[in-house]
Amino acid sequence: MSNRVETKLAELGLTLPEPAAPVATYVPAVEAGGLLHISGQISFAEDGSLMTGRLGEDRDLDYGVAAARRCALMLVAQMKRALGGLDRVERIVKLGVFVNSAPGFTDQPKVANGASDLMVELFGDAGRHARSAVGVASLPLGVAVEIDAIVQVQNAL
């Protein structure tokens, strides 16, 4: 899986970011029972700056989709770090997508597609997953999107 994902990233002109360090008392990922649980990853732009704002207020849908895609890249970076590569990834099981939303904004599923589409692009059918897409009043550091994940992994040898 690792070579396929790395090849696909290159084809898409994408580079995995440096995995973000936790900003509070938690760890980025925990492996248990054949699953890798990845803590919420916030939206960082390619230059490392935070992608902030509230969808439906000061940010539009396209910005939200781009922010979700950047969260998905950070999730993959966290997978790679936690597993020592991407070879052990069997399937993306679930994404939990949190969208900083103004009252009345109802396109959270469309925002979440930014992450979901990238997972399918990178992992093929193994990237198809269950998902939640929820609007929230605010997110840490004022970011536009935060996403956590559950990933099925092969047992370590």
Side-chain angles (χ1 to χ4, degrees), residues 3-38:
N3 287 340
R4 180 197 184 289
V5 174
E6 300 286 347
T7 299
K8 196 63 177 173
L9 283 165
E11 287 173 6
L12 295 171
L14 299 172
T15 303
L16 290 179
E18 184 66 28
V23 296
T25 309
Y26 64 92
V27 295
V30 172
E31 185 177 348
L35 297 173
L36 182 67
H37 298 262
I38 305 172

Side-chain angles (χ1 to χ4, degrees), residues 50-120:
L50 291 171
M51 296 180 76
T52 61
R54 178 170 288 155
L55 280 287
E57 184 176 281
D58 59 349
R59 297 297 184 179
D60 64 13
L61 178 60
D62 289 340
Y63 186 87
V65 170
R69 188 171 175 91
R70 293 298 303 174
C71 289
L73 275 175
M74 186 63 77
L75 287 167
V76 176
Q78 294 290 5
M79 287 175 218
K80 187 173 180 178
R81 173 173 279 171
L83 301 171
L86 298 170
D87 291 334
R88 294 180 52 214
V89 174
E90 287 189 354
R91 180 178 189 107
I92 309 304
V93 176
K94 184 170 185 193
L95 297 181
V97 181
F98 303 90
V99 181
N100 190 348
S101 302
F105 182 80
T106 59
D107 283 334
Q108 290 85 1
K110 291 178 183 175
V111 171
N113 283 343
S116 294
D117 291 347
L118 184 62
M119 291 302 182
V120 174

